[in-house]
Amino acid sequence: MAIDVMNRSRIIFAETRDLTEDPQFPGGLRAIRDNLAAVIRDSEEGIGFGAPSAPTIDDLAQQPILAAWQDCATAAAAPPATLSINGAPANVVIFSGGDPLLDATLTQNYAWFSKAPQPQLAGRAKRGNLSVGLFMTTAPEGCAPGRYPRGGQNNAVVERSTLGLAPGFRNRFLGAIILVAVLAIFILPAVIAGTWARLPEEAPKRAEIINLKKDVTAKEGELIAALEAHKIPTSETAQTVSETELKLQTATESLAKASAGYVNLAVEWVVATLGLLALLATISWGLKRELLGFMVDERGRMSLARFQFVAWMLVILGSYWMAAAWNIGTGYGYANGDVPLPKMSMNLWILLGISVTSPLVSALILSVKEGGGDTKPAGGGNNTASVGKNLPPQAPANSVAERGLIDVRTRPGTSSFLDMFTGEEITNRASVDISRVQQFVFTLVALFAYLGLLATIFLKVTPHMPILALPDISPYIVGLLAISHASYLAAKSLPK
């Protein structure tokens, strides 16, 4: 949809307000505005250019601003035909002091410039004491039209969706297909597991299995009652529990034999968990064009707190999803249709509470250290030559900036796994943070330990019997993680 004249003039004004006529190139400023008007007119709602702005009443009282606004409005009302480059209309404009192809930073960030037609100069003006030219070229297919660097910043190219699903996908149809495929990866293993859990249709075998299911359920009740009846362990308690456990084991083995053996759900469990991870990656790609964008925080860095939260979410939610699907399948055959959903121990709930709370407290600490300050280039200078030596080696120098006391990234796609192990402040962003390393190691140890417990359940599932609960996690591990998170947050809160 072509943009209207008023918005077109506002965009031109936003892009050229700080420009003045260059005496060596008379008419160059008007040529810049005319050509900008033509490209903006042919763009989709002005996407790719700076945010529209209009002068205030006080601004218009100043003659230079009034003249600039009138010139922008005139150019927007009657834009000339778009400059043709090699037979194709120009849809990209670049403000540059010289040939954009000689700008190493520009060609590195936008590699497609080398494949595009040679940029052509459309007009020159002054920005302060610097001579600035408007160069025009044609973007190849798949690259967004507009101004580069986008909006005056050195941001990476993000393709805009032609139908509005998300900038990472070229069109809604493709995005919908990918999303449905990922959801299928997540859902189908649970459907398969639920189908396997259903009782056979053959009447004699159904009756045998139903009776055995009742027997196993009764034995489980006896075992729980035996454990709860005696708070202080005695020899009598031990004997009662032993006998009940033996009866339960016998009934369970009979049920497995009647159902032709145990069921292995390990593959379905792993695929469903990976499907959940793929869903997060798909959403991140659609929004940010980064597969791991869900691990990148508002500062453009990979977040250790987000990694911990996502890791535990994937492990516990993927397991609960598979166990619940299996239990729904086992409900086929119960007369009252009472399907027990898996239970989670208090230790698991505490662990989830820690993993959810830690990112929130971490964000609060960082917001205090940011102090509401604006983002500025690293070192406080206007270019990367003044950034000093204290730069994180995992990020390009021209993407490193500062917000208050905090290190930030200004360009998409410049986050790194190493961000999780280096300091978050200006003073220690190039150094390893030991508290973050130990937090990462403790998390991995706890995760792999719990994955081992989950594997014991899904590798050998009793046919047609519900999974009553996810395995409990040791309170010692929960305590270790709580201490680790507390020390990590305490270290984060201290000034460096």
Side-chain angles (χ1 to χ4, degrees), residues 35 78 91 111 138 180 268 280 307 316 384 437:
N35 284 285
N91 57 12
T138 302
V180 169
E268 288 76 14
L280 290 177
F307 164 77
I316 294 179
T384 58
V437 174

Side-chain angles (χ1 to χ4, degrees), residues 149-233:
R150 300 288 293 277
Q153 295 179 351
N154 197 14
N155 295 332
V157 179
V158 177
E159 294 175 3
R160 173 175 166 80
S161 165
T162 56
L163 294 177
L165 175 68
F169 300 117
R170 293 187 183 181
N171 57 66
R172 180 179 296 167
F173 182 69
L174 174 61
I177 290 178
I178 294 175
L179 193 59
V180 169
V182 170
L183 286 174
I185 294 173
F186 178 54
I187 293 172
L188 285 179
V191 174
I192 294 171
T195 302
W196 285 356
R198 292 183 59 180
L199 292 173
E201 296 295 337
E202 185 184 349
K205 195 169 185 179
R206 275 178 60 84
E208 179 185 0
I209 291 175
I210 289 175
N211 290 333
L212 285 170
K213 287 174 71 174
K214 293 178 180 178
D215 190 19
V216 171
T217 304
K219 296 297 184 295
E220 286 175 343
E222 292 177 16
L223 178 59
I224 294 173
L227 291 172
E228 293 179 347
H230 305 276
K231 302 300 182 182
I232 302 176

Side-chain angles (χ1 to χ4, degrees), residues 143-435:
C143 294
R147 172 183 169 183
Y148 288 87
R150 300 288 293 277
Q153 295 179 351
N154 197 14
N155 295 332
V157 179
V158 177
E159 294 175 3
R160 173 175 166 80
S161 165
T162 56
L163 294 177
L165 175 68
F169 300 117
R170 293 187 183 181
N171 57 66
R172 180 179 296 167
F173 182 69
L174 174 61
I177 290 178
I178 294 175
L179 193 59
V180 169
V182 170
L183 286 174
I185 294 173
F186 178 54
I187 293 172
L188 285 179
V191 174
I192 294 171
T195 302
W196 285 356
R198 292 183 59 180
L199 292 173
E201 296 295 337
E202 185 184 349
K205 195 169 185 179
R206 275 178 60 84
E208 179 185 0
I209 291 175
I210 289 175
N211 290 333
L212 285 170
K213 287 174 71 174
K214 293 178 180 178
D215 190 19
V216 171
T217 304
K219 296 297 184 295
E220 286 175 343
E222 292 177 16
L223 178 59
I224 294 173
L227 291 172
E228 293 179 347
H230 305 276
K231 302 300 182 182
I232 302 176
T234 63
S235 58
E236 181 184 353
T237 305
Q239 183 178 355
T240 303
V241 171
S242 178
E243 291 175 354
T244 308
E245 285 181 336
L246 182 60
K247 292 178 183 179
L248 175 60
Q249 181 180 354
T250 302
T252 303
E253 290 175 352
S254 299
L255 177 58
K257 183 177 179 181
S259 308
Y262 292 99
V263 176
N264 185 337
L265 290 181
V267 174
E268 288 76 14
W269 165 50
V270 171
V271 171
T273 304
L274 293 178
L276 183 58
L277 176 61
L279 180 61
L280 290 177
T282 301
I283 295 172
S284 296
W285 180 263
L287 293 174
K288 295 185 176 181
R289 202 169 174 78
E290 291 184 79
L291 288 176
L292 297 179
F294 57 87
M295 287 177 54
V296 179
D297 61 16
E298 295 76 11
R299 297 164 297 135
R301 291 172 47 117
M302 277 209 180
S303 167
L304 178 59
R306 288 195 178 205
F307 164 77
Q308 293 169 317
F309 173 73
V310 170
W312 282 113
M313 182 193 73
L314 291 174
V315 169
I316 294 179
L317 186 57
S319 304
Y320 194 91
W321 166 246
M322 183 55 55
W326 172 266
N327 288 5
I328 291 172
T330 64
Y332 182 73
Y334 280 112
N336 59 3
D338 184 15
V339 180
L341 290 176
K343 296 180 180 179
M344 289 174 54
S345 69
M346 181 57 66
N347 288 330
L348 273 180
W349 284 113
I350 294 174
L351 186 147
L352 283 177
I354 293 172
S355 66
V356 170
T357 305
S358 185
L360 298 179
V361 177
S362 175
L364 179 61
I365 293 172
L366 292 176
S367 67
V368 171
K369 291 189 174 183
E370 288 175 2
D374 297 328
T375 301
K376 60 181 181 179
N382 295 322
N383 54 61
T384 58
S386 64
V387 298
K389 297 181 179 180
N390 188 33
L391 287 179
Q394 69 269 24
N398 59 2
S399 73
V400 180
E402 301 164 1
R403 189 181 303 151
L405 300 177
I406 300 302
D407 171 60
V408 297
R409 305 285 181 269
T410 57
R411 287 170 45 208
T414 56
S415 58
S416 167
F417 279 109
L418 294 177
D419 292 338
M420 295 193 293
F421 308 110
T422 55
E424 297 173 302
E425 296 187 24
I426 300 169
T427 55
N428 66 348
R429 59 187 170 192
S431 305
V432 175
D433 188 330
I434 298 300
S435 67

Side-chain angles (χ1 to χ4, degrees), residues 35-47:
N35 284 285
L36 269 175
V39 177
I40 295 171
R41 175 197 60 194
D42 298 332
S43 70
E44 182 183 354
E45 300 178 348
I47 294 298

Side-chain angles (χ1 to χ4, degrees), residues 21-22 25 28-29 32 96-98 121-126 131-133 135:
E21 191 74 34
D22 188 338
F25 299 91
L29 179 55
I32 288 176
S96 177
L121 181 64
R124 277 201 172 275
K126 284 277 191 180
S131 177
V132 176
F135 292 81

